[in-house]
Structure formats: structure tokens, C-alpha cells
Amino acid sequence: MLQRLALYLLAALAGASTVLAFAPHRLYWVALLALTVLVLLLQRWPQRAFGIGWSWGVAAYTSQFYWIYISLHDIAGMPALLAGAMTLLLPMYLALYPGLASWLSVRMHDRPAVRWLLLFPAAWTLGEWLRSWVMTGFPWGAIGYSQITESPLSGLAPVGGIHAVTLAVALSAGILGLLPQAGLQTARRAALGSLLLALWGSGAWLQQQSWTTPAGPAMRVALLQGNIPQALKWDPATFDFTLATYYRMVVQAPAADMTLLPETALPVFLDDLPSGYLTMVNGVADRKRTTLVTGIPRRTPDGRGYLNAVIALNQPTQDYYAKNHLVPFGEFIPLPAITGWLYRFMNMPLAGFTPGGDNQAPLTVGQQKVAFNICYEDGFGEELIGPAANATILANVSNLAWFGKSHAMSQHLQLSQARALETGRPMLRATNTGMTAAIDHRGELIAAAAPDTRQTLLATVQGHSGLTPYMRHGNAPVLLLCVALLVLAGGWGWWRQRTTGSQ
């Protein structure tokens, strides 16, 4: 019993260390070591495969997503005990995927090379893809994001997306787990080392390639970070203060082609803005010759629902983008008959948004076309392919004040960098408390505002057009490869068992 607990504790410690691999720490090699430790544990105790993988996952996702407690308890007001239980519930669910991947890796074949070079990378990658869409999906913490942008493996993102990067990390861990195996021939050890070097070398080579081309003149942008505390944002007593803050920031912003405010920066429905405010702020924007774009809720055209929208306020047509991939519990109530009681314990304004719909047109700003996404929509790479193909610049508006002064801001920035890499387009980020930033088409930071400050970030970005290999094919090639590897390994294992049994 004690040995089993020690085993699961060791797996948990390896999983917990992954928080250092992601932003803000960005020690990408820690993710590789943590997965390698998992492989070594699975080799030594294959009979405990699911428990080892699940323990690794629970610790990994708890350490990475501890900030959920801040949103539930500190901001939404949920009692501490209930908030703690709800915070643990997500990691316990997400950990099912590494648990199942670990179990499949040792269950489908008994040869080490097949287990760790075929089954483990394929099962791990498919698991992370599955959790990115099952029950609306939660892609944060996929191991591939830990490699963006410092690791050579990030060069795989424009070719096969974030799941190609994940596959490469998992394969690398499988190789490292095999290398110290007793009795391994020198030639095979050399072959494994060569495969590892080739994998990382190809990533480094791909980092130097250009997949898209500049389009139109460079665009000067002013990104406003209002730093309005979440506890005050929807308080009627501070409503005038919020409007005045953003008005002053627009007035004081440097000259720019676009002035961009965060998600729901103006915490009121568009048609409920105080009389004269829109005229006043638009007048300033017109005099500055800037396109003023803000996050603001607006009612649906039929008046029956409301949208989490980004609107070009001083355009005659007030073109807008409305968020389509909504956050469960935060923006819509999943299975209200089952989960609706939770809202008795939370202060959650506007928890019933309507999805904006697919294939929304980008907003035209000067000679650039800007495809917007809101909050964690930039965590879903394949969903951004269509909008990006019709745009030259991507832009994300967010409000991460829900998560306090936590790692959530930096982790979200890393997701945006991955989307810039995958699409070969710059990404702009305007956030309430951070991380407000401008990212180039290679995923590198052009400029970033200090978090938890009131600041206007001025940057110049160059739009890009053209399609990366990932934009042409999406996740399909990587997923088909993983399925093929599972089928090949599983079929081989079944055939060997049958022929061995018949002898």
C-alpha cells in the first residue's frame, strides 16, 4: 500500500512540475522531463498504468489551473469549500485523458519500442485533441503549448498545428524513456539518439521558414488596458468611473489606425449607453482618424438574446464580431436542470450569452482585415483557420480579471502566440488586466504591457496573407497519423498474441 502511494506521489510530483514549462516560466524542457518520468514509471509498473497517468494529470492540471479557485471564490463569491471542490473537479476530469493514454500504451502491445515510439505518442496526442472539444472543450495545458515559442519544436506549429508539437514532445519522451533501458544494443541506442536529434533539428529548421507574405501597409494600433477590478466592473456605483476611464484613455491614446479596448470594456448593452457618451467618444476617435473598436454586450437582432461582441463604434455600419465559442458556467449554463443550482452561490453577470455563429466576416480597418476572437476562443486553433484565411491580422479581446494576479494571463498569451504561429498572422491582444500585447506572424512578442496596470500599448504590426500548411489541412493529418499508429500497433499486438497462442 505504501509503495503504491509513493508511486502515485512520484507521478504527481512529475505532473505538478509542468507548471514551470508553461508561461510565465517557459522552461519548455521541464515538460519533456515530466513526460519522460511518466514513461519511466509506466515501464516499471505497467500494471498501475491508469493510476500513474491519472495521478500525473491531476497534479499537472491542478498546478496549472489553480486560478479557477480565484474566479469562483474571490470574484464570484462561491463558498471556499465548494469552490475548492469545483476547482479540483476539472483536473480530475482532464486527468482521465493521460490516464487512458497511459493504459492504452501498455495494454495494446508488450514490446517497449512499440509502446513508447508508437502507442504512447499517438494515444497522448489523441487524448489532448479529445479534451479540446469534448463537452465544448478545454485545450489549455496541452503539452504542445509549453514549447511556444522558445523550443525548436514550435517550428512544427505552422505545419501541423499545436497537436503536431504535442506529438513531437510525447515521441521525444518515449525516446528518452527507452534510452536507459538495460540490454539495449548500442546500435539501437544510437538510432534512437539520431531520431531525437532529427526530430528537434527539423523543428529548428522549420522555425526559419516563411509560410505567409506581407499584405498591405503596416498598421499602427493602440491597445488599451483599463485595469478595472472584476469586483467593481459590473457594480452600478462604479459604472460612471469605468466609462470615464476609457474615455480618458481614448483621448490620451497616441495616433493609431485602430484603438482597441478589451472584452466588455463598456459594461452595458450598446443601446443602453448613456445619452451622448457614444457621440463624445466617437468624436474623439474621428478627430484622431482612428477606428475605435471595443468589447461591449449587444442584443441579438431579434432582441431575444444578447451577444458578447466586439464593435467598431465609429464606423457608419458599426460592424461587429460576436463570440461563438462560449465558456461553460461563465457565459452559458450547461445542463441547467443539473447545474443551475450552482448559480445560487455565485455572482455571475450575463451568464446566458447567445453564440454569434460561424463564418463571421473580419472587420476592415484601413487596408487590413482583422479577424477577432474573444477570451479563450484563441485556444481552439482549428476554429480560427476559417476567419484567419479571410483576414490579414488576428485580434483577441479578453477580461482575465476573473483570475486575479495569476498565471492565467501569461498562459493565455502563450495560446495567442500559438495561433499566430499556426496561421502566419500577427495577433493583437487588448485585455482588462493583462496580458495586453502585440505578437508578430512568427509568434514572437513585439510589445507587451505590464500586467495589472492601466496602460495604453502602442505597436505597429504588419498584416500577412497566404495559407500555412496547417491552415490548408487543419488537424486531420496529425490525427490520422495517430489513429494509424494505434491501429498498426494494436493489430501487430493482436497478431502476435494469436500466432503465439496457436503455437
Side-chain angles (χ1 to χ4, degrees):
M1 182 65 177
L2 289 177
Q3 184 186 46
R4 186 184 306 179
L5 288 175
L7 172 63
Y8 293 156
L9 178 60
L10 183 57
L13 289 173
S17 73
T18 58
V19 71
L20 299 175
F22 296 90
H25 306 290
R26 295 181 182 265
L27 303 176
Y28 65 87
W29 48 269
V30 172
L32 177 57
L33 292 182
L35 266 190
T36 302
V37 170
L38 176 61
V39 169
L40 293 172
L41 292 175
L42 293 172
Q43 286 181 350
R44 179 65 179 83
W45 291 280
Q47 70 277 15
R48 306 289 182 198
F50 180 83
I52 292 171
W54 189 79
S55 299
W56 189 99
V58 169
Y61 303 134
T62 300
S63 69
Q64 292 171 35
F65 310 138
Y66 68 92
W67 35 261
I68 293 174
Y69 178 85
I70 297 173
S71 67
L72 294 177
H73 177 261
D74 298 4
I75 307 299
M78 182 179 284
L81 188 61
L82 183 56
M86 293 295 293
T87 300
L88 283 174
L89 192 60
L90 178 63
M92 291 173 68
Y93 157 69
L94 295 176
L96 293 175
Y97 296 98
L100 289 171
S102 299
W103 179 81
L104 281 174
S105 299
V106 302
R107 180 69 177 84
M108 294 181 69
H109 208 284
D110 58 358
R111 288 196 174 182
V114 176
R115 282 179 172 178
W116 311 119
L117 301 183
L118 300 182
L119 286 171
F120 181 74
W124 190 276
T125 304
L126 286 173
E128 295 213 331
W129 170 74
L130 280 170
R131 74 175 178 88
S132 73
W133 66 265
V134 172
M135 294 191 295
T136 79
F138 192 83
W140 286 42
I143 211 70
Y145 286 116
S146 67
Q147 308 299 298
I148 308 298
T149 57
E150 287 72 15
S151 166
L153 294 182
S154 65
L156 298 171
V159 178
I162 200 64
H163 297 304
V165 183
T166 292
L167 180 64
V169 179
L171 175 57
S172 299
I175 294 171
L176 290 177
L178 279 175
L179 281 174
Q181 191 175 59
L184 187 66
Q185 296 176 357
T186 302
R188 292 188 177 183
R189 191 170 277 117
L192 288 172
S194 298
L195 176 59
L196 186 63
L197 289 175
L199 183 61
W200 285 70
S202 63
W205 179 78
L206 288 169
Q207 280 183 319
Q208 310 307 314
Q209 308 309 305
S210 297
W211 304 103
T212 55
T213 56
M219 187 170 77
R220 190 173 167 92
V221 296
L223 308 174
L224 276 55
Q225 181 172 287
N227 199 36
I228 307 294
Q230 188 63 32
L232 302 179
K233 182 173 180 177
W234 298 97
D235 187 344
T238 60
F239 176 69
D240 290 339
F241 167 78
T242 300
L243 295 189
T245 295
Y246 279 111
Y247 174 74
R248 285 195 302 271
M249 294 185 75
V250 172
V251 170
Q252 296 168 3
D257 299 300
M258 179 172 70
T259 301
L260 182 59
L261 281 64
E263 177 187 15
T264 57
L266 307 181
V268 62
F269 286 112
L270 177 64
D271 51 4
D272 289 337
L273 273 172
S275 176
Y277 182 82
L278 196 57
T279 301
M280 185 171 61
V281 75
N282 281 349
V284 173
D286 290 341
R287 289 193 295 274
K288 288 174 169 283
R289 297 184 179 179
T290 185
T291 300
L292 180 62
V293 183
T294 186
I296 185 172
R298 63 161 293 161
R299 291 182 173 86
T300 56
D302 61 10
R304 297 180 180 178
Y306 47 89
L307 305 166
N308 188 352
V310 179
I311 301 177
L313 290 180
N314 63 330
Q315 284 184 351
T317 54
Q318 286 193 335
D319 293 338
Y320 70 92
Y321 166 80
K323 187 176 183 181
N324 188 51
H325 198 133
L326 303 177
V327 180
F329 297 103
E331 293 174 320
F332 77 96
I333 304 173
L335 303 173
I338 299 175
T339 65
W341 64 273
L342 288 169
Y343 289 82
R344 297 200 304 267
F345 301 96
M346 294 188 290
N347 177 21
M348 193 72 70
L350 297 179
F353 281 108
T354 300
D358 298 320
N359 303 316
Q360 298 180 60
L363 275 63
T364 300
V365 180
Q367 297 182 48
Q368 300 291 341
K369 293 187 178 298
V370 184
F372 281 89
N373 50 86
I374 299 177
C375 190
Y376 88 149
E377 281 189 309
D378 63 351
F380 302 88
E382 204 164 37
E383 294 182 11
L384 266 62
I385 290 176
N390 298 315
T392 55
I393 294 173
L394 303 178
N396 176 275
V397 297
S398 293
N399 173 34
L400 298 183
W402 279 102
F403 308 112
K405 298 179 180 181
S406 70
H407 291 173
M409 293 184 287
S410 297
Q411 291 171 0
H412 196 193
L413 173 65
Q414 202 164 33
L415 267 62
S416 288
Q417 290 179 274
R419 302 292 85 83
L421 258 175
E422 288 175 345
T423 61
R425 282 155 174 76
M427 170 75 85
L428 304 173
R429 290 178 50 82
T431 71
N432 179 15
T433 56
M435 298 282 295
T436 296
I439 304 165
D440 70 13
H441 66 290
R442 293 182 180 273
E444 299 293 340
L445 285 179
I446 298 172
D452 302 304
T453 62
R454 184 163 297 142
Q455 186 175 346
T456 296
L457 181 69
L458 186 65
T460 300
V461 294
Q462 174 63 62
H464 275 69
S465 61
L467 302 179
T468 64
Y470 177 68
M471 291 176 71
R472 294 181 186 278
H473 306 294
N475 293 325
V478 171
L479 298 179
L480 289 174
L481 173 61
C482 290
V483 170
L485 292 176
L486 288 181
V487 171
L488 174 64
W492 186 6
W494 173 82
W495 179 78
R496 287 186 70 247
Q497 285 182 350
R498 184 173 181 182
T499 54
T500 302
S502 64
Q503 294 173 358

